[in-house]
Amino acid sequence: MTNSLAPAALLALLGPAALLLADLAVPLRRGTMSPAVLDAGRWATLVALGAAVLAAAAVAIRGTLVSPVLGWGGIGLSVRLDALSATLFLLVAFVGVIVVEFARRYLAGDPGHAGFIGRLTATLASVMLLVLAGNIGQLFLGWIAASLMLHRLLLFRPERTRAIVAARKKFVAARLGDAALAGALVLLVGAFGSPDIGGILAGARAMAAGDGLTTPVTAATLLLALAAILKSAQFPLHGWLPDVIETPTPVSALLHAGLINAGGFLVLRFADVMAPSASAGMLLLVIGGVTALFGSIVMLTQTSIKVSLAYSTIGQMGFMLFQCGLGAYPIALLHIVAHSLYKAHAFLSSGSVVDLARASWVPAAGTRRAATLTIALAGALTLYLGLGAALGKSLAARPAVVALGAILVMGVTHLLAQSFEGRARLSVFIRTGFAATATTLLFFGLEWLAELLLAGAMPVMRPLDGAALVGLGLVVTAFAAVTVLQWFAPALQRSRGWRAAQVHLRHGLYITTLFDRLVGAYRLPTSTTPEAAR
């Protein structure tokens, strides 16, 4: 039965429309610092946020809404409002308000200030068109437009050599991803006979319930996984992301909090197609797991806060795609939302990193360090497994979901360990224990909320086979090893072997250097401007 509110779903397009109008207003006052242009960007983001709130409310009340197609042959503008698109629409709109408002002050006095705001709003509009897409034509248009709009932002400082390098490397990776996505969409339309995303998902569910996926659909899932890998800066074509620090800080915040998630969104949007494909799941498991480990280790060796955050994003996107490979789609969506909000704040506040570093806690050297870490880890594990069992999330019943929360255990370990340093006081132990318990309960609560939100909209997580369980165990072990390495890093500085390894890791094992040569970065003239981005 057609929902009576389905045509009203088109009202969600008011958000990207307002943002595009704000970008179009810039040429009308080119070369000026008109406050009207800057105000247009602010009001456009607020309109988009209002549209996102209304869209989320409509989905919460009436369920999935699909608008008519404004186009021909099923291709054109259409909106699919469901739990996934409403969540990410609201996320992008909220981050957009913060980033644009920050940029209004950050670049005050710059001759290109108005143009920069326009580029930001156009990029936000492209991402919104992507997440709201109801047919593959709009999805592909939004996918490419988001990449091209980001390219404009990367070249905002064209005199900076590393910014040009980042743009070139991003362009190469993006075009490969575009080709993979185009091939996948052609195969899906050929297999299911419709460009409508809802029709494709329904057809995939019926096919999986019958004889299983056909060869063309399986090939499409592999291409979708490849497109997601390339879009989310996964190993080995990740090298463009650390160079983005040469662009103004709002670009980094928008990229790491929004655009980098497009790969994960693609997998989640076609989850009904991806879930039955063991080969696509294994590709995401392998590449995501390797990237998660690689990014997390290289992050520890960086001396620049923004480069460290970039490698953190690479690792986190790897872990998110690993979750998709396991079929843990609600947790992957929760990961996207949490990571986006954290990274937006991290980049926008990166200028105060010196003050934060001075106020932060550093573990004291000495023989107590190993004992402290052991006790804290045992306490975090006991707390996590105990609360999980009490809430019906035992390791035996749901091994993947519980094991994926091991990353939380690493953070709680660090939290508990702080209370053991210095002069032990009972009040400190009690406060830290309450904080650790509240954090763990919050994780389980958010996980439950994500599963409730996507109930019926995403396929149920399949039982894990032996290979998936082994991969899950290796990733959890790797993250535990990274936590231990981070803990003992100050003491390891006395080791010549570790100092030598740090040099190689700091350069990303020189994989980015090979990428630089591929795009001709070494033929670029040396920039005469300061290398540090504003």
Side-chain angles (χ1 to χ4, degrees), residues 179-462:
L181 179 59
L185 296 179
V186 168
L187 289 173
L188 290 176
V189 172
F192 299 109
S194 172
D196 178 67
I197 291 177
I200 292 173
L201 299 181
R205 288 192 293 269
M207 183 180 290
D211 297 330
L213 300 183
T214 61
T215 300
V217 177
T218 300
T221 63
L222 289 170
L223 289 173
L224 287 172
L226 180 59
I229 287 168
L230 290 166
K231 196 72 165 183
S232 294
Q234 297 296 278
F235 185 92
L237 297 183
H238 61 278
W240 60 271
L241 192 58
D243 288 342
V244 174
I245 63 169
E246 284 301 304
T247 61
T249 296
V251 180
S252 298
L254 180 60
L255 170 60
H256 289 260
L259 275 72
I260 201 70
N261 297 315
F265 164 75
L266 183 68
V267 177
L268 293 176
R269 170 48 74 211
F270 291 100
D272 287 299
V273 183
M274 301 290 290
S277 176
S279 53
M282 186 55 64
L283 178 60
L284 292 173
L285 282 174
V286 172
I287 299 297
V290 169
T291 305
L293 177 60
F294 172 80
S296 300
I297 293 178
V298 174
M299 174 193 71
L300 299 178
T301 64
Q302 300 303 311
T303 56
S304 165
I305 182 62
K306 288 188 177 180
V307 176
S308 179
L309 288 172
Y311 275 104
S312 169
T313 295
I314 291 170
Q316 291 297 322
M317 289 298 100
F319 192 57
M320 183 269 297
L321 290 181
F322 183 86
Q323 293 166 341
C324 291
L326 289 174
Y329 301 116
I331 298 179
L333 178 60
L334 176 61
H335 195 152
I336 287 175
V337 174
H339 177 265
S340 296
L341 296 176
Y342 160 68
K343 276 295 162 61
H345 174 268
F347 272 100
L348 296 181
S349 62
S350 59
S352 57
V353 66
V354 175
D355 295 333
L356 292 174
R358 288 173 178 171
S360 63
W361 168 76
V362 178
T367 57
R368 291 182 55 192
R369 182 173 294 168
T372 298
L373 181 61
T374 302
I375 294 172
L377 180 58
L381 279 172
T382 301
L383 180 64
Y384 180 72
L385 294 177
L387 289 175
L391 296 172
K393 301 180 182 296
S394 65
L395 186 61
R398 308 186 69 186
V401 175
V402 175
L404 288 171
I407 308 305
L408 172 74
V409 173
M410 309 309 164
V412 173
T413 297
H414 191 77
L415 176 66
L416 292 175
Q418 298 182 50
S419 64
F420 299 144
E421 292 290 319
R423 295 172 56 187
R425 292 185 299 175
L426 181 60
S427 60
V428 175
F429 290 151
I430 294 175
R431 289 200 304 269
T432 306
F434 274 121
T437 302
T439 301
T440 307
L441 286 173
L442 181 61
F443 168 80
F444 284 120
L446 290 174
E447 179 205 337
W448 171 82
L449 181 61
E451 292 182 350
L452 179 65
L453 182 68
L454 295 179
M458 293 284 171
V460 178
M461 185 175 180
R462 64 181 182 273

